[in-house]
Amino acid sequence: MFVTDRRPGEGRYAHVEREQRWLIEAVPAAAERRQSIIDRYVMGTRLRLRRVESTDGVVFKLGQKVRVDPADPEVVKLTNIYLSGAEYTILHGLPAAELRKTRWLAPLDGRTLAIDELHDRLNGLVLGEVELAGDDTFLPAPPFAIKDVTSDDRFSGGALAFATDAEIDALLSSSRVRPSTG
């Protein structure tokens, strides 16, 4: 059998994604609702199955995020493939931790801030992120940000999806975020 030296996160289809992320008090008034997203983080892998619903319809994706530095969530190499509804349904059967969120968009210093309002066990948690080019310096925090969480792995999607109830309670309490009741 011939084995290649290709590794996850490498190759022509993987692209570098660098983000700056903030914990945000609430969705700002200037934000526009764009998408409902369900992410399923497949257990034992770096794979994320995503369902995105917007006014344009529904899109299904399978993504793999490989960190450049395993200890730092700021920079990843991302590979996505688009799926049919039937393919999504088959992969949906894999054991996974699920994260539901509403994505909003707002302007921030000439860029677009993606704001994720999380649901279910994570009600009350709102995160914002901007894409950075490789040589960009970090942006100043928006006025509605509580703190920068770019390098805090506890706020990455996979970590939030797999977090226990006790870990979520501790995270929300230490971040001055209180779960909403509605």
Side-chain angles (χ1 to χ4, degrees):
M1 175 164 104
F2 178 70
V3 178
T4 69
D5 64 351
R6 299 222 21 210
R7 292 182 205 93
E10 300 298 327
R12 65 180 173 196
Y13 299 110
H15 74 273
V16 173
E17 180 181 78
R18 183 169 170 246
E19 299 172 336
Q20 183 177 2
R21 295 178 299 157
W22 295 276
L23 179 64
I24 293 178
E25 293 178 44
V27 176
E32 295 180 22
R33 186 178 192 277
R34 292 299 173 109
Q35 302 167 327
S36 293
I37 299 173
I38 300 172
D39 284 336
R40 292 183 51 82
Y41 293 88
V42 180
M43 289 186 183
T45 75
R46 291 175 282 198
L47 301 176
R48 178 187 69 198
L49 185 62
R50 176 170 272 188
R51 180 186 190 280
V52 180
E53 185 173 347
S54 69
T55 56
D56 297 330
V58 179
V59 174
F60 304 106
K61 296 191 282 186
L62 179 64
Q64 178 187 55
K65 286 189 170 188
V66 178
R67 292 181 179 175
V68 173
D69 174 353
D72 187 4
E74 178 189 337
V75 182
V76 298
K77 291 186 178 179
L78 174 64
T79 307
N80 275 319
I81 59 171
Y82 291 88
L83 304 171
S84 68
E87 291 167 328
Y88 176 85
T89 299
I90 290 169
L91 294 173
H92 189 273
L94 294 171
E98 193 167 278
L99 191 69
R100 286 186 333 105
K101 58 190 177 184
T102 300
R103 174 148 300 161
W104 304 76
L105 300 179
L108 178 67
D109 295 334
R111 299 173 193 249
T112 300
L113 176 67
I115 301 158
D116 290 338
E117 176 184 22
L118 289 99
H119 304 295
D120 305 321
R121 299 181 312 135
L122 295 163
N123 273 346
L125 186 61
V126 181
L127 298 170
E129 65 185 41
V130 292
E131 295 283 332
L132 298 173
D135 59 348
D136 283 349
T137 58
F138 277 8
L139 300 175
F144 44 80
I146 296 171
K147 68 179 177 179
D148 189 300
V149 294
T150 302
S151 295
D152 189 338
D153 192 43
R154 299 173 303 163
F155 290 95
S156 68
L160 290 169
F162 284 105
T164 65
D165 289 343
E167 289 169 333
I168 291 170
D169 287 345
L171 184 64
L172 295 177
S173 294
S174 70
S175 302
R176 297 185 324 196
V177 175
R178 300 290 178 253
S180 58
T181 56

